[in-house]
Amino acid sequence: MTFQIQPRLLFLVVFLLVAPKASEAAGIYTPGLTLSVSNANDVWSSPGSTFFLGFRPISTDLPNSFIASIYYSGGVPIWTAGSTPVDSLASLQFLSSGALRLLNGSGHTVWDSGTADKGVSSASLDDSGNLSLFRNDTVVWSSFDNPTDTVVPSQNFTTSKVLRSGLYSFHLINSGNLTLRWNDSIVYFTRGLNSSFNVNLTSPSLGIQNIGILSIFDPTLPSGVIMAYSNDYAENRDTLRYLKLDGDGNLRIYSSDSGSGTQIARWAAVEDQCQVFGYCGNMGICSFNDSGPICGCPSQNFELVDPKDSRQGCKRKVETVDCPGSPTMLDMENTQFLTYPPETDSQVFFVGISACRSNCLVSPSCDASTSLSDGTGLCYIKPPGFISGYQSPALPSSSYVKVCSPVDPNPSPYAQLTGKGGGWRMHPWVVAVVVIGTILGLVAMEGSLWWWCCRNSPKFGVLSAHYALLEYASGAPVQFTYKELQRATKGFKEKLGTGGFGAVYKGILSNKTVAAVKQLEGIEQGEKQFRMEVATISSTHHLNLVRLIGFCSEGRHRLLVYEFMKNGSLDNFLFVSEGQSGKLLNWEYRFNIALGTAKGFTYLHEECRDCIVHCDIKPENILLDENYAAKVSDFGLAKLINPKDHRYRTLTSVRGTRGYLAPEWLANLPITSKSDVYGYGMVLLEIVSGRRNFEVSAETHRQKFCVWAYEEFEKGNVKAILDKRLADQEVDMEQVVRAVKVSFWCIQEQPSQRPMMSKVVQMLEGITEIERPPAPKALTEGSINGSSINVTSNISAFSTTAVSVPAPSSSSSFQTTGVSLHASGKNIERASSSLLRSYTEVHSEV
């Protein structure tokens, strides 16, 4: 029998077999489909081709390892099926049972959606990146409800969800706090709502907007509360911004431009990577070099668990139970073993440094210990188990680890070169480097002798100026001789001003560059330390920071050379007399100066590798260039004046200026970046008012101006605070109100109530809503006529009362627990403040 098929019917059959289903083209897929690694074009796409589901290689170094993931245009993954990489024969199957299953080349199930026999009839990938499995119109499973390590815009992250990456996890808890945990136990980061939100959350959730704002939402809150924001906030609409928990244990906000395949970190929860618990594995010690964090072992008594991966930690070459004799303690200066909750509940003691070491040595339940070495007497005991270490020259702590004798410290760079102490042998390339270095050294020595003999030649002066210009252009600090600077300033003739760190003179360098030369006073550091601090200052670059050009260090002569600011310091424009109306700044300039200054301090506090606390914020240290752009000067000089850690400075070494000193300076409490925030708040109020904060008048009822200003603010009379000389000019009152509110938040007595400088920037720009600030208490400071002071009085009664108990701070890497300790700290703080006021009243005429 012969069948004849009509041509029209034949065309219809061929079309149904060959043409793709219209539902699949719209991002909807039916069971029976398979994605395989072998077919690179085998992907599911969202309707707008913004997101794709398919296989991607893990990295170029591992070409045969793949992950099945949902990825953004360009290849950045936002969700992964399973945590185990698969081989080149793997497949992702959408089974007829309704399950989505990932199989390795061997047929082993790597991951399963768990939706078999639940009536799943279709799958959909939408343009927000959400993969959903449907039973008719009901969602049975979705990738947004089962996140892996990433949260994207439109995704609702609740307390029932968790992000994971290796041993690290990120949780949103019922109180609204964001927490990072190691091994689901150690909480090494937590951030919650500030104290102004006195509410009990019922069902908090976390979301990130595509413009880069991370916010907490809850029915009890009138709107979302901003927790963090990307530093490229709302810059580009074709950019995906997302929250990701990385394998190094840090939570970050990333940006990825459409189609680029690159991701750039824009915010990090833990600013200091070495503060992430377990970053370098068990017994690993985290430290920094020029490129970032590195991992090593405590000493040569240890060896890496995996020589190819230093983050896997270290192990003893000989365990202490197998020691031929008795174990001893390895002493490590400037090192601490991270101790977070719940460890702090039972492992903190108040003993001396030597007792912290010896008690651990004799105790079988102690493997290591850390003494803070800051006068608090805090000692953290580490039992056998997982121990995470951090080493930095800035850490005021010492740590101890049990090892078998003899103690074999890590070799110095010289020992590594020669083979002494470390057992290393000298490689031929090392010999070549030494020989070449010796030759170059001899050439340099000959050049130095020639320079010494010919430096006074006129021709040499021109050549020297040329090379000085090259060195200046390269960004490296130029080393000047004292005679050069003496000649540049014409014998230090034209004084630009005098500050707390020394006098400043105008100078013209040999390359015709105009500069400001500062003669430092009271330098206590040696030559090496001075040069190290200068190198740190010169490497700190920002649009709103005065650039350091060079330095001079000859015997007792210590000078710094800065770029010249044409318009001088801010005080010359704020506190002008009636006859100097030409120097009056309008509101637009003032607001831009306030914002630029805040951005400069944000960089110093939060964006440098090491936080730089200024310690002397005042209008005199805010300079203006030819365009009236603000630049902060004198940053980093506090350590030059006093080599000890300025965060723990006592009454015997206070350096600051009346009207700008935070209360903790004279209460013998730790100095942090929040102390700078206080000074900035005072300056901000002066920018608005054009008046010194410590001045009193009949108008202010003989009160400090800041106290009177808050009373006017409470009355809703913000115009009374504004500089009266701006009455006839156009002023943005919304900006004025924001600035006044921010200033009152910054000058709160308790450091914990003051915002970080990045938050100040957001509030000034109007990105973050500003709550009504509480009344700042009237604060007094021991100082003279608004000039910089150096208090040297020693008051035994005050010192006895203000014992060194750290002020409670959410940013502290060590946390003390216990109600009694907390209460005693508060009592001490109140007693210190009371005694401080009494002391100031008695000595106000000093």
Side-chain angles (χ1 to χ4, degrees), residues 7-79:
R8 184 177 299 177
L9 180 61
L10 179 62
F11 173 79
L12 179 62
V13 171
V14 172
F15 176 81
L16 292 174
L17 292 174
V18 176
K21 295 181 180 179
S23 61
E24 293 179 11
I28 300 176
Y29 302 88
T30 55
L33 299 174
T34 298
L35 301 176
S36 60
V37 176
S38 58
N39 187 354
N41 297 321
D42 205 1
V43 297
W44 294 1
S45 66
S46 65
S49 297
T50 306
F51 291 93
F52 303 87
L53 173 64
F55 288 94
R56 303 287 298 177
I58 292 180
S59 67
T60 55
D61 298 331
L62 299 170
N64 294 319
S65 294
F66 300 84
I67 56 171
S69 65
I70 301 171
Y71 54 90
Y72 181 58
S73 174
V76 174
I78 65 163
W79 178 87

Side-chain angles (χ1 to χ4, degrees), residues 300 410-422 424-426 430:
Q300 293 296 299
N410 285 322
S412 65
Y414 174 77
Q416 294 180 13
L417 178 67
T418 60
K420 296 178 181 179
W424 290 20
R425 57 191 180 87
M426 190 178 292
V430 177

Side-chain angles (χ1 to χ4, degrees), residues 217-231:
F217 301 91
D218 190 81
T220 60
L221 297 172
S223 61
V225 178
I226 296 178
M227 304 298 290
Y229 75 107
S230 171
N231 63 18

Side-chain angles (χ1 to χ4, degrees), residues 180-191:
L180 290 172
R181 304 177 190 178
W182 174 85
N183 203 26
D184 284 331
S185 56
I186 303 297
V187 179
Y188 58 90
F189 170 85
T190 183
R191 173 178 293 181

Side-chain angles (χ1 to χ4, degrees), residues 816-844:
T816 57
T817 59
V819 177
S820 60
L821 176 60
H822 181 73
S824 63
K826 290 289 185 183
N827 292 336
I828 290 168
E829 196 168 326
R830 285 195 292 269
S832 300
S833 299
S834 175
L835 189 55
L836 172 60
R837 294 189 185 98
S838 300
Y839 165 75
T840 308
E841 291 170 2
V842 172
H843 293 78
S844 59

Side-chain angles (χ1 to χ4, degrees), residues 631-689:
K631 295 197 177 189
V632 178
S633 69
D634 281 8
F635 59 91
L637 297 190
K639 284 190 177 181
L640 287 177
I641 300 300
N642 191 335
K644 297 180 181 179
D645 191 342
H646 58 273
R647 293 173 299 172
Y648 297 91
R649 191 166 299 176
T650 63
L651 260 181
T652 59
S653 56
V654 174
R655 182 175 286 264
T657 305
R658 178 189 179 191
Y660 309 96
L661 280 178
E664 56 265 27
W665 270 107
L666 298 182
N668 205 21
L669 296 172
I671 300 303
T672 66
S673 59
K674 292 295 185 73
S675 306
D676 277 356
V677 174
Y678 182 94
Y680 174 80
M682 286 297 189
V683 170
L684 180 58
L685 194 56
E686 292 183 338
I687 290 175
V688 174
S689 66

Side-chain angles (χ1 to χ4, degrees), residues 472 514 543 546 563-569 573 585 589 593 622-631:
Y472 170 52
V514 182
L543 182 66
V546 177
E563 62 176 320
F564 180 74
M565 294 290 104
K566 182 178 179 180
N567 281 313
S569 57
F573 293 88
L585 291 173
Y589 277 130
I593 288 169
I622 298 172
L623 306 184
L624 307 178
D625 65 12
E626 63 276 9
N627 298 315
Y628 295 94
K631 295 197 177 189

Side-chain angles (χ1 to χ4, degrees), residues 237-252:
R237 292 186 177 182
D238 293 328
T239 297
L240 175 71
R241 296 177 178 85
Y242 52 94
L243 185 71
K244 182 179 181 182
L245 177 62
D246 287 318
D248 61 7
N250 214 334
L251 184 72
R252 296 181 175 91

